[in-house]
Amino acid sequence: MPNLSATPEGTRSYAQKYPEFEKAGHYRDFMGLKVSSLGLGTYLGNQNEQDDKLYIEAIQAALLSGCNLIDSAINYRCMRSERNIWEGLGKLITQGKIGREEVVICTKGGFIPFDGAPPANPSKYFEEEYLKTGICKAKDIVAGCHCMAPSFIRNQVERSLHNLGLACIDLYYLHNPEMQLDEVPRDEFIFRLERAFEELERLVKEGKIGAYGTATWNGYRVDSHSQEYLSLSDILKTAEKAGGSSHHFKAVQLPYNIGMAEAFGYPNQILGSQTVPFLQAAKANGIAVFTSASILQSKLSKNLPPVVAQTFTGLQTDTQRAIQFVRSTPGVTAALVGMKKKEHVEENLKVAAVPPESAAKVGSLFS
């Protein structure tokens, strides 16, 4: 088990291996690290050896082609995606082709995961694995599948570290915390969030995670009157209560693409006396934004309007143009794209050699 995490020196060395990409602005700053503006996501796929093999090949292809950002979650493919990351990365480390310190690994916890495959009796599995062991209590669970109790979060970080074969996860997200708001009052939600953040701060001090954040679906995109709404200002106040002014809440993940552009254009976050779009609020608060659904699970890989090709030039495919839209948007650190095939890695990373377009061109699509 490597006793390392991503480092400024390691990630800078990685970026220097790809001078064309570096010159084109492919590598962005995140906590002093150089992180690729395109990250490999591991959400989709079946729980079988065939998809394991495909992911391992895609992960290795990405790491050897200029992408040093890998994103997962413990529940993705019943923990198999995390295990595939280590198998792919671990082999490259053993072969001397890459160093752990060059790569930024992100994962998430919040959903109760199965192990390898869905069990024959999910209720019994949950009771034996989590309730009887005291990892969590029935009252901590919402929707029958989501928990952010401190003991559960610690357990999930430990399991992810084991799955990933690592001593430290560079960025750890609390996964879809807004789900809790479907069943608990907002005051109780904030209380639970603060306890979770306190545990994550302890895990940072122990060196098991480098930083933390929230990975959301609806929370930061919806109207402020919506039950699922998350206020970045309130989240940051909660992090400050948990960790003081030097807290380690450093990033947010949320869906953003040409068809789901609320983070860019929909004002729903308070910033001083203004109400602004999420990306503006995040940038003003020094919060990195990593986007999920950057090509909307391949729905944006073809048949985009001609204006998109006219706006994002120098690219060959609609997939590349959809990625370019995301990585060109001010305030976006990196676009995450699910890539299970090495052919997709090769196609998508061609974007890295093309400088991002201007904010004016991004905005012109919504004029």
Side-chain angles (χ1 to χ4, degrees):
M1 178 185 289
N3 191 25
L4 293 170
S5 60
T7 65
E9 297 78 15
T11 54
R12 186 163 55 247
S13 174
Y14 181 90
Q16 289 170 353
K17 297 177 186 178
Y18 305 93
E20 182 184 10
F21 291 176
E22 192 172 20
K23 183 179 179 182
H26 175 51
Y27 297 101
R28 279 77 183 280
D29 179 73
F30 171 59
M31 301 194 311
L33 306 172
K34 287 286 187 180
V35 61
S36 54
S37 64
L38 176 64
L40 186 147
T42 58
Y43 171 54
L44 296 177
N46 298 310
Q47 297 98 33
N48 58 34
E49 292 183 6
Q50 180 181 353
D51 280 12
D52 289 343
K53 184 174 184 292
L54 288 172
Y55 262 123
I56 291 164
E57 290 175 351
I59 289 161
Q60 292 183 326
L63 292 172
L64 295 176
S65 303
C67 169
N68 72 334
L69 173 64
I70 309 290
D71 181 81
S72 195
I74 193 168
N75 63 304
Y76 288 176
R77 301 176 54 248
C78 300
M79 303 197 213
R80 298 175 82 116
S81 287
E82 286 189 334
R83 292 164 184 165
N84 293 162
I85 290 169
W86 175 240
E87 192 163 351
L89 173 60
K91 286 180 180 177
L92 295 182
I93 291 174
T94 300
Q95 295 166 359
K97 294 180 178 179
I98 202 163
R100 165 66 182 99
E101 66 279 5
E102 298 178 86
V103 183
V104 179
I105 302 293
C106 315
T107 195
K108 317 175 189 73
F111 288 102
I112 296 165
F114 296 138
D115 191 347
N121 188 332
S123 296
K124 183 179 180 182
Y125 166 84
F126 169 64
E127 184 175 352
E128 296 288 335
E129 193 75 18
Y130 289 97
L131 293 184
K132 287 186 177 179
T133 56
I135 292 169
C136 57
K137 299 175 182 177
K139 67 178 183 179
D140 298 324
I141 312 301
V142 303
C145 66
H146 192 273
C147 181
M148 54 186 199
S151 55
F152 177 78
I153 295 300
R154 175 168 288 273
N155 173 268
Q156 297 298 281
V157 169
E158 297 283 3
R159 287 183 185 223
S160 287
L161 286 168
H162 179 75
N163 290 338
L164 292 161
L166 302 177
C168 178
I169 296 162
D170 299 304
L171 175 60
Y172 191 84
Y173 296 106
L174 194 59
H175 202 174
N176 286 20
E178 67 266 39
M179 282 194 68
Q180 299 272 326
L181 287 164
D182 289 337
E183 296 188 19
V184 303
R186 193 163 289 270
D187 287 350
E188 172 66 15
F189 168 75
I190 293 295
F191 175 80
R192 292 185 178 192
L193 193 68
E194 187 177 344
R195 300 290 86 75
F197 284 179
E198 286 172 351
E199 191 65 29
L200 290 166
E201 290 287 347
R202 283 190 282 269
L203 288 160
V204 171
K205 288 180 181 176
E206 293 168 20
K208 293 181 178 180
I209 63 174
Y212 64 94
T214 48
T216 69
W217 188 255
N218 288 328
Y220 294 120
R221 300 188 302 116
V222 295
D223 183 86
S224 60
H225 298 295
S226 169
Q227 187 165 314
E228 292 183 286
Y229 172 74
L230 294 178
S231 159
L232 180 61
S233 175
D234 288 348
I235 298 292
L236 292 174
K237 287 176 185 175
T238 305
E240 189 164 350
K241 284 183 180 179
S245 58
S246 58
H247 63 78
H248 295 85
F249 186 104
K250 300 297 183 183
V252 160
Q253 187 179 128
L254 82 170
Y256 177 71
N257 55 60
I258 291 175
M260 299 170 69
E262 297 93 342
F264 174 69
Y266 180 48
N268 68 347
Q269 298 291 326
I270 300 300
L271 182 63
S273 60
Q274 296 180 295
T275 303
V276 301
F278 180 82
L279 284 170
Q280 186 176 337
K283 187 174 183 179
N285 283 286
I287 299 299
V289 178
F290 298 87
T291 66
S292 58
S294 300
I295 61 171
L296 199 55
Q297 298 177 4
S298 297
K299 292 182 178 67
L300 300 175
S301 63
K302 57 185 177 181
N303 300 323
L304 292 180
V307 66
V308 177
Q310 295 162 10
T311 303
F312 301 106
T313 57
L315 300 164
Q316 300 169 339
T317 68
D318 275 349
T319 299
Q320 293 169 356
R321 296 177 190 112
I323 294 169
Q324 182 71 323
F325 165 81
V326 174
R327 67 191 285 272
S328 297
T329 303
V332 170
T333 300
L336 301 171
V337 180
M339 292 183 277
K340 193 176 66 176
K341 295 182 179 180
K342 57 185 179 181
E343 294 82 6
H344 293 160
V345 172
E346 182 180 353
E347 175 190 349
N348 297 345
L349 270 170
K350 289 179 180 177
V351 175
V354 181
E357 291 290 355
S358 66
K361 283 200 172 184
V362 173
S364 72
L365 293 181
F366 305 100
S367 298

